[in-house]
Amino acid sequence: MTKHNGTEAIKHIAAGGLMLLGCTIQAASGAPAGWVESGDSASPTATKTFNGNKMQLQVSPWMPRKGSLKSWLANNAKKSPKGYRFYKSKLKIDESLPKGSYQVLRQVRGKDGKTALSLLSVCPGRNNTMRTIDSIGEKSVFVHRPAVNDLVKALTYYCSTGSQSPRTTTAANQQATGKISTAPISAPRLPDGFAGFRGVIYYGMQAGGMFGPTSMTIALFDDHTYTDDIATVFREGASVSKRKNPKDWGQWRKRGGKLELKDHNDKEFDKTRGDWIAVPGSKNQKLNGCFGRLVSSNGLGVGSATVGRASAWCFSPDGRFTHDATGFGSVSGAGVSGATSSSSPTVRGRYRIDGYAMHLVYDDGSDVQAGFAFLNDDRTHIAVNGKRFMGNK
C-alpha cells in the first residue's frame, strides 16, 4: 500500500471512510468473519490485519444513555483509547443514517509515538442504552477497500449484538411474527412558539463541495429567534435545542417586507440573498411517491476523494412509508485507487402529516416527531427536519 503524504489528502481520504460507515450501522445476521476477539465478551477487543496493517476495535459494554448521543460524543471526542493518547480531531461529529448513530474521526498516538486514526462511534440501543466502538488503525487501512468493507461489517455487528441490541433488531422480530401495530396515529405536535418554516438562500458550501449560493430551511419562532436545528426542536423542544446547540440559533426580523437574519456570532442583521415561505401540508396530508436526497463532496490534495450519501423517503396514500440510505466513496491518486458503497436496511412505518409537523411511528416501535414542509407550490419537493428531498415528477 502506497502511503500518502500531506495532511489535507489524508483528511479527505479518511472522510470517505467516515461518511460511508455512518450510513451502515444496522442490525447484522452474524459475527464479522476473520476478526479475532479477546477480553470480556460484553466489551471485547477485536483485531484484524489488512496488508500487514492491523485494525483494532475497542468495544464498550452497553450502558445507560443520558442525553443525546451527539452531546455525549462532543463531550468525549478527546477521550484517549486504551494504549493511545488523543492528539487531535480530524473531522466534525457526523450523524449516520437513518437513525441516531454518531461518529467522529480523531488522530491518536501510540506509546511508540506513531500516529494512527481513531474512528469513535456511538450506537443507540433499546431501553435508552448506548455503546461505543473505537476503530483504530494506520491511515492506509482507512483507504483500503477490503478493510473499509470489513470495518463496515464489524461495526454493523457490534452495534446490533449483545443484551441491549438496537431497535432495528426488534423491528426484524416484529416483522417476522407479523406483530406490527395498526393503531391510529395521533396528531403530530408543533414546538411551543413555532411560527413557520422559511427557505433562505445564502453563500456557503454546496452539496458538490464547491462554495457558492445554496439554500437551507430554517424554523422561525414567535420570539424572533430562528434555528436550523430542526430535528432537535421537534423531537425535544426549542429550550433543549438552545441549551444543547446554542450556535445553531440566531435572530430574525422583517424590514420593508424582507427577511433579515443575525447569526449567533453576528453583530448586525443581514438581508438574505432570497427567501420564501415553505408550504405546510394540509390536515392529515397524504403523499404518493418517493422523494430523494443526494449529498456529495470532492476533496483535492495528493489525489482526490469523493464521498456522499443518498437517501429516500417513499410515501403511500394508505399512510405507510419507507426510508432507506446508501453511502458511497471513491479515492484515486498517489498510487491508490478504489471505490466502495454500502446500503442500510430499509425501515418502514406509518406517518401522519398535519401542517408543518409529521408524526412517524416505525414498525420497530420508535416514535418520532419531525418537521415537514413543501418547498414549492407544485409540492414536488419536501423538507423533512429541514433537509431537502426532491420528488420524481
Side-chain angles (χ1 to χ4, degrees):
M1 174 66 66
T2 303
K3 291 190 176 182
H4 291 260
N5 295 317
T7 302
E8 287 303 309
I10 293 297
K11 178 178 179 180
H12 291 303
I13 292 170
L18 173 65
M19 297 186 72
L20 171 65
L21 296 174
C23 295
T24 57
I25 298 177
Q26 294 296 316
S29 58
W35 291 85
V36 178
E37 284 190 2
S38 61
D40 187 349
S41 60
S43 55
T45 297
T47 58
K48 190 169 183 178
T49 301
F50 305 91
N51 282 0
N53 295 314
K54 184 174 71 173
M55 174 73 76
Q56 180 187 89
L57 308 184
Q58 298 180 4
V59 184
S60 81
W62 290 100
M63 64 190 81
R65 170 181 169 182
K66 296 181 180 180
S68 72
L69 297 186
K70 185 176 181 180
S71 296
W72 184 94
L73 197 56
N75 293 331
N76 291 272
K78 296 183 179 181
K79 185 177 180 181
S80 297
K82 295 178 183 178
Y84 294 86
R85 180 168 54 87
F86 172 83
Y87 179 49
K88 62 182 177 180
S89 294
K90 298 289 290 181
L91 293 172
K92 68 178 182 179
I93 292 173
D94 182 72
E95 181 177 5
S96 72
L97 299 173
K99 294 165 59 182
S101 299
Y102 289 85
Q103 298 83 34
V104 64
L105 190 67
R106 300 102 53 79
Q107 196 172 64
V108 296
R109 285 178 174 169
K111 294 180 179 179
D112 57 4
K114 293 182 178 180
T115 60
L117 291 180
S118 159
L119 177 67
L120 180 59
S121 307
V122 57
C123 313
R126 288 186 300 168
N127 304 319
N128 207 30
T129 57
M130 55 172 275
R131 159 177 273 185
T132 66
I133 305 168
D134 210 335
S135 310
I136 306 163
E138 299 243 347
K139 296 172 183 177
S140 58
V141 181
F142 284 86
V143 298
H144 183 50
R145 181 168 58 179
V148 171
N149 288 339
D150 265 20
L151 182 55
V152 167
K153 295 175 183 177
L155 287 177
T156 296
Y157 174 72
Y158 288 114
C159 277
S160 60
T161 191
S163 60
Q164 298 288 342
S165 58
R167 289 173 173 168
T168 46
T169 304
T170 304
N173 294 338
Q174 287 180 330
Q175 291 171 358
T177 59
K179 296 179 180 179
I180 296 176
S181 173
T182 58
I185 300 178
S186 61
R189 301 187 304 269
L190 285 172
D192 291 341
F194 177 80
F197 285 123
R198 199 88 176 186
V200 297
I201 297 174
Y202 68 104
Y203 267 85
M205 196 62 66
Q206 299 173 329
M210 303 295 290
F211 189 82
T214 186
S215 65
M216 68 175 178
T217 304
I218 59 175
L220 305 184
F221 285 80
D222 292 334
D223 62 358
H224 284 263
T225 60
Y226 79 90
T227 185
D228 60 358
D229 186 26
I230 296 170
T232 305
V233 164
F234 274 79
R235 185 176 63 246
E236 302 179 71
S239 60
V240 174
S241 174
K242 288 179 180 179
R243 184 176 72 251
K244 290 182 177 180
N245 306 306
K247 293 182 179 179
D248 293 336
W249 286 78
Q251 295 177 287
W252 68 274
R253 72 182 184 186
K254 285 286 194 70
R255 286 292 184 270
K258 300 292 185 180
L259 181 68
E260 296 182 351
L261 303 178
K262 183 169 72 171
D263 201 3
H264 74 281
N265 57 359
D266 289 341
K267 295 182 179 180
E268 304 289 340
F269 281 90
D270 288 323
K271 294 180 180 179
T272 67
R273 297 182 179 272
D275 67 271
W276 65 94
I277 298 174
V279 181
S282 59
K283 184 175 179 60
N284 206 8
Q285 173 80 54
K286 291 297 188 291
L287 302 176
N288 186 17
C290 294
F291 301 82
R293 173 180 174 84
L294 174 66
V295 178
S296 64
S297 62
N298 298 315
L300 299 177
V302 180
S304 64
T306 299
V307 296
R309 299 175 180 180
S311 60
W313 291 89
C314 293
F315 300 90
S316 60
D318 63 359
R320 297 283 299 174
F321 76 87
T322 63
H323 184 206
D324 53 36
T326 298
F328 58 88
S330 65
V331 59
S332 63
V336 177
S337 64
T340 188
S341 65
S342 60
S343 299
S344 61
T346 299
V347 294
R348 296 174 169 83
R350 293 167 293 139
Y351 72 94
R352 176 171 172 174
I353 298 170
D354 284 352
Y356 283 122
M358 179 164 64
H359 187 183
L360 301 170
V361 178
Y362 291 80
D363 289 345
D364 66 4
S366 302
D367 193 301
V368 177
Q369 300 284 337
F372 174 87
F374 292 105
L375 295 180
N376 56 354
D377 291 333
D378 293 336
R379 302 194 172 198
T380 57
H381 297 178
I382 65 172
V384 177
N385 281 338
K387 295 181 179 179
R388 176 187 292 268
F389 292 84
M390 302 174 64
N392 53 13
K393 294 182 179 180

